[in-house]
Amino acid sequence: MRIATWNINSIRARADRALAFLEREDVDVLALQETKCKDVQFPREAFEAAGYEIATFGFSQWNGVAILSRVGLEDVTAGFDGQPEFGETPAVEARALGATCGGVRVWSLYVPHGRALDNPHYAYKLTWLARLRELAGTWADAGDKVALVGDWNVVPLDSDVWDVAAFEGQTHVSEPEREAFRAFAEAGYTEVSRQFLPDEHRYTYWDYQQLRFPRNEGMRIDFAYTSPALTPLVTDVRIDRDERRGKGASDHVPVIVDIDASAL
């Protein structure tokens, strides 16, 4: 079974690219982030025609997550239990969507950015990750096959960004964020893209400005954490860097995880 995660940066602007990617890579489950549309605006028809069931969680042109599956889509959960709220009128944002697909509990995650170290959004980010970590630990203890995939908005290692000095005093590279990310490994999860792709300076995101992609000035912030019951079934992981090329590309690229479905 092939699971991919991709911050699509507007599904309505890139539906054709997503459909081409699904066909080219023979993807069974696609977790999307930053869909940037309400549920009723998601371009469902084209994906349903391609054989995918669709679950979405989106309120507006901000945030938004979705899961597309051709191997079943059950027990859909919009948001996780106790997910922190944010905003002038505190509310749960469309940042997490869970569904069981072919025997794997897939979570499409769009972790809060944090904005700045002194911004309330930063504290919100840390609280958000801590609550998810609590739940992930219970899922691991229960022996569930779980894939936590998406845009984590954390740079775990200095070599996961083209110039860590350029981010001094900013979000993504701060030690509390890195600790929050490592906490999932302490719960028994394995970040399988690192396991299969340990190379330094292998990125998943390049800003549109200042020729970041041609210069390979990127960041590695899209990851796949798998639970102890699922990790042994992962057979390969790839980063589809070529998806960043061409007209209308997202600023992120897909991370593709292959799983031995015979053991599910």
Side-chain angles (χ1 to χ4, degrees), residues 171-198:
T171 62
H172 289 55
V173 302
S174 73
E175 187 55 29
E177 291 168 282
R178 289 178 168 183
E179 288 179 0
F181 186 84
R182 289 194 298 266
F184 290 84
E186 295 165 3
Y189 285 71
T190 300
E191 202 294 285
V192 290
S193 79
R194 183 83 63 195
Q195 181 183 50
F196 284 84
L197 301 168

Side-chain angles (χ1 to χ4, degrees), residues 122-158:
Y122 179 76
Y124 163 58
K125 177 180 189 174
L126 296 179
T127 303
W128 198 97
L129 284 167
R131 177 53 184 160
L132 179 61
R133 157 62 181 85
E134 290 177 6
L135 290 174
T138 66
W139 301 333
D141 292 344
D144 297 341
K145 296 180 177 68
V146 181
L148 305 174
V149 302
D151 177 357
W152 290 73
N153 270 319
V154 177
V155 173
L157 304 177
D158 287 356

Side-chain angles (χ1 to χ4, degrees), residues 57-125:
F57 184 30
F59 297 129
S60 66
Q61 74 271 28
W62 307 111
N63 308 320
V65 282
I67 298 175
L68 286 60
S69 174
R70 63 180 186 186
V71 292
L73 191 69
E74 302 174 343
D75 302 323
V76 175
T77 305
F80 50 81
D81 185 34
Q83 181 175 322
E85 300 177 333
F86 190 76
E88 292 184 8
T89 302
V92 171
E93 296 184 307
R95 293 184 174 275
L97 181 67
T100 301
C101 308
V104 177
R105 185 66 176 170
V106 177
W107 280 92
S108 180
L109 304 171
Y110 183 38
V111 176
H113 182 281
R115 299 179 184 170
L117 300 186
D118 59 354
N119 192 293
H121 208 257
Y122 179 76
Y124 163 58
K125 177 180 189 174

Side-chain angles (χ1 to χ4, degrees), residues 16 44 47 89 108 126 130 147 182 189 199 225 234 237 242 257:
D16 289 345
R44 307 176 63 93
F47 295 99
T89 302
S108 180
L126 296 179
R182 289 194 298 266
Y189 285 71
D199 314 26
Y225 259 125
V234 177
V237 180
D242 287 343
V257 180

Side-chain angles (χ1 to χ4, degrees), residues 198-247:
D199 314 26
E200 294 187 344
H201 302 289
R202 184 185 285 260
Y203 306 130
T204 64
Y205 164 87
W206 298 260
D207 194 285
Y208 290 125
Q209 300 179 21
Q210 299 180 341
L211 297 175
R212 293 297 188 203
F213 183 64
R215 293 174 178 171
N216 198 32
E217 296 177 348
M219 304 169 71
R220 190 168 183 168
I221 56 177
D222 302 86
F223 299 101
Y225 259 125
T226 55
S227 65
L230 183 60
T231 298
L233 307 185
V234 177
T235 60
D236 192 26
V237 180
R238 292 183 292 114
I239 294 173
D240 187 3
R241 189 179 188 278
D242 287 343
E243 186 55 50
R244 183 62 174 78
R245 303 180 188 277
K247 184 179 179 180

